[in-house]
Every structure is written in structure tokens, then in C-alpha cells.
Amino acid sequence: MTVRSLTNRSAAARILFICSISLLFTDPFALSIRDPEVPSLNGDLTAQQPLQRHTGRLRGPDPLQYQPLAAEEGAIPRQDASQQSHAYPSTYTALLDALEVMESHFFETSMGTWPQAIDWTAAVMGTQISATLSSMTEYFKSLQSGSSPLSPNESRDHENLINRYFTQIACFYFGENAFSLRTQAYDDMLCVDLGWLEAIKFIDLHSSLHYAEDDDDHSNSSRWYARQFIPPYAHRARVFYNLASKGWDTDLCGGGMTWNPYLAPYKNAITNQLYIAASIGMYLYFPGDCNSSPFAANQGLPPAKAHDAQYLNNAVEAYKWLKGSDMRNKQGLYVDGFHIKGWRGGRDGSNGTEKCDLRDESVYTYNQGVLLSGLRGLWVATSVRQYLLDGHELVQNVIAATGWEDRDTEREWRWAGLGRGGVMEEQCDWSGTCSQNGQTFKGIFFHHLTFFCSPLPKGHDDSALHQQSCDGYADWIRHNAFAAYITRNEKGEFGEWWGRPSPKDADEDDKDDTVGMLPPISVGTDYRNDGVPRDEIWRLPEDDAMYRPWKYGREVHEQSKWEEVSAVEEPRQHDINDRGRGRTVETQSGGVAVLRALWKLVESRQEGR
């Protein structure tokens, strides 16, 4: 980890103090957000009472006031509605509650970050918060312009809530470990770029919806205060994009992004997909940057303009390479990536075959998601329908690989490639051995699916076809939102293995419904959860650590293994999602992401919002 200078620490401390003071004036509990007739998680319309003041966290009405679960056929195939011991709130209320838990349980204002997150997952957390704020401000606007406009107090409360969470994003700019991230892998750098572009998108959206700017107002009093953050956010996005772009390499495989400059060349799906999404994001949303720091050889960075065609060209070229790379398996899913046979770089300088000819067959959920944002952006920039068609083909392959057709059948427990019974699953979920990487992946997928399936401009030739396809995913999205929601414990924290209900009552049966379930079919090298192997395929020849006796990957702790209840023991509560790392900010972000997908893509559309 890079040690920051005392000067930087002092500056950050001063800003974080200001952030803390700002949060004091944003009362998180003086809220009465009106949630009129919004659709519930079960698809019914449930009239909601205003959110009430509640010590410690936001809540909607008492759970007993909710309508009981009445899911569509196959929504949660593992348990009938009549067996559920709890009922469900509206989707929007559930989303607000999940977001509140994510921030009140895991964000530390004095540090400006989520302390339990690692550098790249913290960047993803910021992205998820900014995207959720965009959904919230759109809903806020729909209520203001509805048939029953908000009262001044209600408008104030909505704005207060949005400002509360945005202030945390502002704090995170200083809490983010930007210096260390500059020395990490290229995919980590690109996550930083996408995170600050997402924040800029939110600021622009909220400003345009709620702050009509006056050209004659030279004091800027009519502008939303947060617009002052756009220049530093844009600069950080630019710096990290430029750093990551050094990973593009044409000497091996004819192109493609290399994952990590400190390891043997590995051209993987996630780094290339992030590069596509970041490149088109820079083209569409980067507002330009005149900040010349950091200095190199006494020369600062030249000014960067908005909508630079080079960003678009990079995205087009990168997707062309990825599409032709043979990085998809027979199910149409992206496998993890390619090594180069015979590569022995470093001291002897051999590039081997110079071809991507050693394919790692590992399949991760996020490798199917990030590209969706890139494809949507490419369509926005070019109006080429094929980008949308490729995205829908990938989404449909993902749904099939979760075993969607197996739900409510005797095959519902069958591992289908990316889940079972229609519920998305990471291979490490079954064993409870997911690292912070693996715990973040499903949330990343649903974040990018939400952007991809957002409605196109009305009247465009592709709009109806795109919307028809996205509407076809509604039941699957709701199915996964249910599966995620029932993992919540008594604190409202989501678990990593969706579809595994959390015992909430002391006398509740803790029957293990995984008995008889076969583990996922393991293929490839699970380096995202077990660590990078220390061998000549993955490591540089000069890496002395490669030759040390060492079993690659982290050891699985005993507490991460699921233990059966002995017949001679007293009955005790078990929660399968408490294994391993348990409930974390990463698993909570997955709950936020899938609930936002359900709200934005399904429920709000049904309400015409």
C-alpha cells in the first residue's frame, strides 16, 4: 500500500472534517418520503405509509402492515408463499432500506470510505451509490410532476435524503486510496474511472431535473452546489483512464488489454470489458479537464476535451478485438481469459507463440455484465443496432445459464453454469469461500444490466425492439430480487448466496435445504477467490516468490465450512450466509443492485414512472 504524504493526509483530514459537519446538518431520520401506491416485491400494488422516524436506520411501515408474499409462479421455487414467516415491502422502500443499511453499517464518514472494502471494491461501492442516487432523483422528479405534487416539506425530505448520500460520495473522493490504486492492476484502475464518471452522470442528472440554471445568475446561487465537484471527479477519471490505457497491447494476440503489469501476460475478459465501458463512458460523459497534475518531468498534462473521438475509437477497436477473441464457451458465456503458450518474458524475452492460445475456462458473473454498459454506450454513440443485439444475446445466455428453465422442476438444484433454479450464483457461493472479489460480482452484473436495459429515446427505430426484449427479463429479475431479499438477517444485511433464507426467529426451523445439492462444476483457475497461482503460467520469471514453497490461494478457514447440527447437540440457529466472510459491504451492494434493477426496469415502468 502506498503511504500518502503528510501534506495529503492533512488536506484529506480537513476535507473529511467538513464532510462530517455537512452530514450533521443532513438529518437521516427526519424523513417522511412518500411512496404512494408503488409496486411491491411480490408484484402487487401495496399502499405505503410515509417512512417513519426510526432509531438507527430508515424503515418503512411495520412489516406486519405489508401484504404477504404472493409471488408469480416460480418466483422462489424453494419455498411456498404460505411457508414464508415474513412479508415484503414495496420495491422502492426495500431499495431505500438496503441502501441505508449499506451506508449506516459499513461506511465510515471519518475515513471517507467503507473500511472493510479493498481498494477496487470500494470504487464499485461508490459506483453503486451514485447509480442508485440517479434512480432516486428520477423518482423524485416523477412525484413532483405527478397528478398530486409533493408538498414543500416532502420535496425537502427527498432532497435531504439524496444530499445525505451524495455527501458520502464527496467524502469518498478524499477517502479513496488513489495513490495505491495507481500502482495496481489495470482492471482496478478502470473501476476508478467508471466510478467517477457515474458520479458526474448523477450530478448532471440531478442538476437538470431539479435546478433550472439562470444564465444571468453570476453568483451561481441557482446551480446545485455539487457541480463544483465535477472538475476534480473528471480529472481523476482522466488520470486513471490514461494509466489503464497503457495495458492495451498489440504485440501479443493482435491486441487486447493485459490484466496486470506485474504478472505474466494475461488478457482477460473483465479488463477488456472495463476498457470498452470506460472508453465509451469517457466519450459520452467526460466533460473535459484542464487540470495539469500530476506533473511528470516538469511538464503537466495537456488539456483534455470532451467527446474526444479517440475514446470512441478505443471502444470500437477493443470490442472488435474481444468479439473475435474466442473468449466465449459453448453456452455463450465469457470465460475468464487467455494466457500465451510458451511465453517466457522478462529475462530471456521470449514471447512464445504470441497468440492467445491457453484459455482459462473459469466463468464469473461480472464477466457477463460489464460489457453490457459498453454495448449500450456504443449504441448511443453510433446507433449501430448490432451492439444492442449482441447485448441481448449475452443477457439471454446468462438467464439460460442460471437454470431458468429448471425452476419448479425436479432439476431445480442442477448446476446450470451460472446458477441453479433461475437464481444467479457464483461458484464460491456454494462452499462459502468467496473472497471480497467474488462477493462483489453479482452486484456488478445487475448494475450494468440496469444501464443496458434503461429505455431508449422514444421514437427511435430500435426503441420498441429493445424494450420488448428487456421486458422479457422482468420475471427473471424479480426472481433474483426475491432470492437476494430472503437472505437478509435481522439487521437487514444481505447474504452472498441468494435463495438461502435467513432464519429470523428463534423457533424457526433451520433445516438445511442444500442437502442433496451438488456443488458447481469447477473449471479453470479460480484465482479471484483462491489467489493467483505461483507458477510459470501466471508469474513473471524474475518473480522470486514463484519458487517459494507455497500452496497458492488462501486457506479456507474452518469457520467457513458448513457444519451439520449433531443430533446430540442442543438446537441452535444456523445461517448459511454467515460462513466465510459472512455479510459484508460487498454482499450488501449486491442486494442494492438487484433491487434497483427490479425497481427501475420492472416496477417503475409498470407505474409509468
Side-chain angles (χ1 to χ4, degrees):
M1 180 179 293
T2 303
V3 179
R4 302 183 185 186
S5 69
L6 292 177
T7 301
N8 286 326
R9 285 186 180 275
S10 178
R14 289 195 297 271
I15 297 298
L16 286 174
F17 174 77
I18 295 172
C19 291
S20 301
I21 295 299
S22 299
L23 284 173
L24 289 176
F25 288 96
T26 308
D27 182 3
F29 307 127
L31 299 169
S32 57
I33 307 303
R34 189 171 66 175
D35 189 10
E37 298 291 331
V38 294
S40 66
L41 278 167
N42 60 12
D44 298 329
L45 295 182
T46 305
Q48 297 295 312
Q49 301 299 321
L51 291 175
Q52 303 297 323
R53 183 185 181 102
H54 188 280
T55 303
R57 57 186 284 225
L58 276 173
R59 284 189 182 274
D62 186 272
L64 296 178
Q65 297 179 20
Y66 292 130
Q67 297 295 324
L69 173 67
E72 83 282 6
E73 183 178 359
I76 305 181
R78 296 169 184 81
Q79 195 171 25
D80 293 333
S82 60
Q83 296 175 315
Q84 297 285 355
S85 62
H86 51 282
Y88 293 86
S90 77
T91 302
Y92 188 73
T93 301
L95 173 60
L96 289 184
D97 191 48
L99 178 63
E100 171 62 18
V101 171
M102 179 174 169
E103 296 304 274
S104 63
H105 291 199
F106 300 106
F107 187 83
E108 181 58 56
T109 304
S110 63
M111 300 175 68
T113 190
W114 301 265
Q116 297 177 3
I118 53 180
D119 290 343
W120 86 266
T121 65
V124 173
M125 300 306 104
T127 306
Q128 299 277 25
I129 298 302
S130 294
T132 305
L133 288 174
S134 291
S135 296
M136 290 169 63
T137 195
E138 288 175 332
Y139 180 47
F140 178 18
K141 182 63 175 180
S142 72
L143 293 177
Q144 287 181 316
S145 57
S147 57
S148 178
L150 297 175
S151 70
N153 285 344
E154 288 174 324
S155 293
R156 178 206 62 201
D157 291 342
H158 276 276
E159 180 70 13
N160 188 42
L161 183 62
I162 288 170
N163 275 278
R164 179 196 175 207
Y165 294 126
F166 175 75
T167 305
Q168 294 180 337
I169 293 297
C171 290
F172 178 55
Y173 176 80
F174 301 96
E176 185 171 53
N177 199 356
F179 291 96
S180 176
L181 280 158
R182 293 183 189 188
T183 67
Q184 296 181 24
Y186 295 127
D187 59 342
D188 301 326
M189 298 177 190
L190 291 166
C191 287
V192 175
D193 171 82
L194 287 175
W196 295 111
L197 289 179
E198 194 70 46
I200 291 171
K201 288 166 60 179
F202 162 67
I203 294 171
D204 283 338
L205 177 63
H206 191 68
S207 298
S208 66
L209 292 179
H210 303 285
Y211 292 84
E213 297 183 9
D214 184 353
D215 293 336
D216 297 327
D217 181 12
H218 301 294
S219 67
N220 290 327
S221 60
S222 65
R223 292 162 60 90
W224 188 36
Y225 77 94
R227 295 199 64 83
Q228 67 186 309
F229 295 111
I230 290 180
Y233 294 177
H235 181 64
R236 182 166 293 179
R238 174 196 181 191
V239 167
F240 276 88
Y241 180 83
N242 289 349
L243 288 171
S245 296
K246 297 176 182 178
W248 182 262
D249 162 63
T250 57
D251 292 336
L252 302 173
C253 309
M257 285 287 291
T258 301
W259 168 44
N260 192 322
Y262 309 107
L263 297 172
Y266 184 52
K267 301 205 171 182
N268 60 354
I270 191 58
T271 309
N272 282 277
Q273 292 185 15
L274 284 166
Y275 183 62
I276 295 166
S279 295
I280 197 61
M282 290 291 286
Y283 176 71
L284 294 172
Y285 309 115
F286 175 64
D289 177 34
C290 295
N291 189 335
S292 61
S293 66
F295 300 104
N298 297 321
Q299 293 182 349
L301 293 174
K305 63 181 181 180
H307 310 299
D308 190 329
Q310 185 59 52
Y311 296 130
L312 174 59
N313 293 338
N314 290 349
V316 171
E317 183 66 20
Y319 182 60
K320 180 180 178 181
W321 179 87
L322 180 64
K323 190 173 182 178
S325 67
D326 191 31
M327 209 179 289
R328 296 170 76 174
N329 63 17
K330 62 182 181 181
Q331 291 181 284
L333 304 177
Y334 280 93
V335 298
D336 196 70
F338 279 104
H339 303 280
I340 290 82
K341 185 182 296 183
W343 187 90
R344 298 293 181 271
R347 290 172 182 153
D348 65 8
S350 171
N351 280 338
T353 64
E354 300 184 357
K355 299 178 180 179
C356 283
D357 47 13
L358 286 178
R359 197 171 85 170
D360 191 293
E361 299 295 322
S362 300
V363 176
Y364 298 105
T365 58
Y366 77 152
N367 281 346
Q368 324 309 320
V370 174
L371 182 60
L372 297 175
S373 283
L375 292 172
R376 168 65 181 251
L378 282 166
W379 177 86
V380 172
T382 66
S383 295
V384 174
R385 177 180 291 185
Q386 190 60 49
Y387 291 126
L388 293 180
L389 296 178
D390 289 354
H392 285 294
E393 179 187 17
L394 180 57
V395 174
Q396 290 159 16
N397 291 341
V398 167
I399 293 174
T402 63
W404 181 238
E405 296 302 321
D406 293 340
R407 68 193 190 285
D408 278 346
T409 74
E410 61 183 14
R411 291 161 55 87
E412 67 176 343
W413 300 118
R414 177 185 69 94
W415 177 253
L418 209 61
R420 59 187 101 217
V423 177
M424 179 170 279
E425 184 179 326
E426 220 55 66
Q427 288 195 17
C428 57
D429 289 343
W430 180 84
S431 58
T433 56
C434 292
S435 67
Q436 287 174 280
N437 298 321
Q439 287 191 328
T440 314
F441 291 168
K442 293 192 292 290
I444 292 175
F445 174 86
F446 278 97
H447 165 75
H448 291 281
L449 174 65
T450 302
F451 177 66
F452 176 76
C453 267
S454 297
L456 302 183
K458 293 181 179 180
H460 194 283
D461 292 344
D462 296 330
S463 180
L465 178 62
H466 175 72
Q467 194 58 59
Q468 181 181 3
S469 297
C470 289
D471 288 347
Y473 312 145
D475 286 346
W476 180 78
I477 293 171
R478 181 179 287 112
H479 185 68
N480 277 268
F482 267 117
Y485 193 80
I486 63 174
T487 68
R488 294 163 65 254
N489 62 11
E490 66 281 356
K491 298 178 181 179
E493 297 168 350
F494 285 73
E496 76 179 25
W497 194 6
W498 294 355
R500 313 269 69 78
S502 173
K504 291 183 173 62
D505 301 320
D507 58 350
E508 187 173 343
D509 183 13
D510 63 353
K511 178 183 177 181
D512 180 8
D513 65 355
T514 66
V515 174
M517 183 188 297
L518 296 177
I521 299 173
S522 180
V523 293
T525 303
D526 188 11
Y527 69 103
R528 290 302 192 183
N529 295 294
D530 292 336
V532 176
R534 296 188 177 181
D535 59 30
E536 62 184 15
I537 293 178
W538 289 88
R539 301 282 178 165
L540 295 171
E542 60 268 30
D543 186 354
D544 293 335
M546 187 176 82
Y547 303 103
R548 299 173 191 162
W550 184 76
K551 179 182 178 182
Y552 78 83
R554 59 179 175 80
E555 297 294 332
V556 177
H557 298 291
E558 285 300 315
Q559 59 264 34
S560 71
K561 298 178 181 178
W562 181 247
E563 299 175 357
E564 295 292 339
V565 179
S566 171
V568 298
E569 292 181 320
E570 291 295 323
R572 53 182 179 149
Q573 281 303 110
H574 282 271
D575 191 328
I576 203 166
N577 274 306
D578 284 339
R579 300 171 304 160
R581 298 192 68 247
R583 289 170 168 81
T584 65
V585 65
E586 289 88 3
T587 62
Q588 191 69 21
S589 73
V592 170
V594 71
L595 287 174
R596 188 172 79 90
L598 178 59
W599 166 251
K600 184 173 177 62
L601 302 183
V602 183
E603 310 293 20
S604 64
R605 275 189 47 76
Q606 293 175 352
E607 284 296 288
R609 295 192 177 100

